[in-house]
Amino acid sequence: GGGGGGGESAQVARPAADFTVNFQDVTRAQAEAALGGAVAGSYLIRPSSQAGCLSCSYKACDTGRIGHLLLQRPTDTQNGWTTDGRPRPYPSIRLLLQSLPYGLRLDNP
């Protein structure tokens, strides 16, 4: 294993920004309301009702239906994120979302 990385080292002025994704502190109902009028492929990451987890609310590109995913850490000591159907942890939420078949608009949240 190991390796990875490279590319330009851009100066990042954001304080401890672990999220290069669209994170919003909203409830499930608020997320559904926001996504209802949004374009297909829209999504947001929000706090989960389960401790230590996050939720991804999204509007699927193919069906236009709103869905929700539970995003969780594989273990307390292991880094990365998993969700249903993705048991192998991804190093970031963004990479996990990219692997999903919903056509999420990650470049323009």
Side-chain angles (χ1 to χ4, degrees), residues 18-93:
D18 187 19
F19 297 105
T20 55
V21 290
N22 184 22
F23 181 81
Q24 297 183 30
D25 191 5
V26 296
T27 65
R28 181 183 178 119
Q30 289 172 317
E32 290 178 352
L35 291 170
V39 297
S42 298
Y43 77 96
L44 57 88
I45 306 296
R46 60 184 173 79
S48 170
S49 55
Q50 294 195 36
C53 299
L54 294 170
S55 291
C56 173
S57 299
Y58 64 90
K59 189 170 189 176
C61 265
D62 48 357
T63 62
R65 288 176 50 194
I66 294 172
H68 305 277
L69 291 168
L70 182 67
L71 308 179
Q72 47 198 340
R73 297 282 191 187
T75 66
D76 288 340
T77 58
Q78 196 175 1
N79 289 326
W81 293 90
T82 63
T83 192
D84 287 341
R86 295 287 186 273
R88 182 175 66 83
Y90 283 77
S92 71
I93 291 175

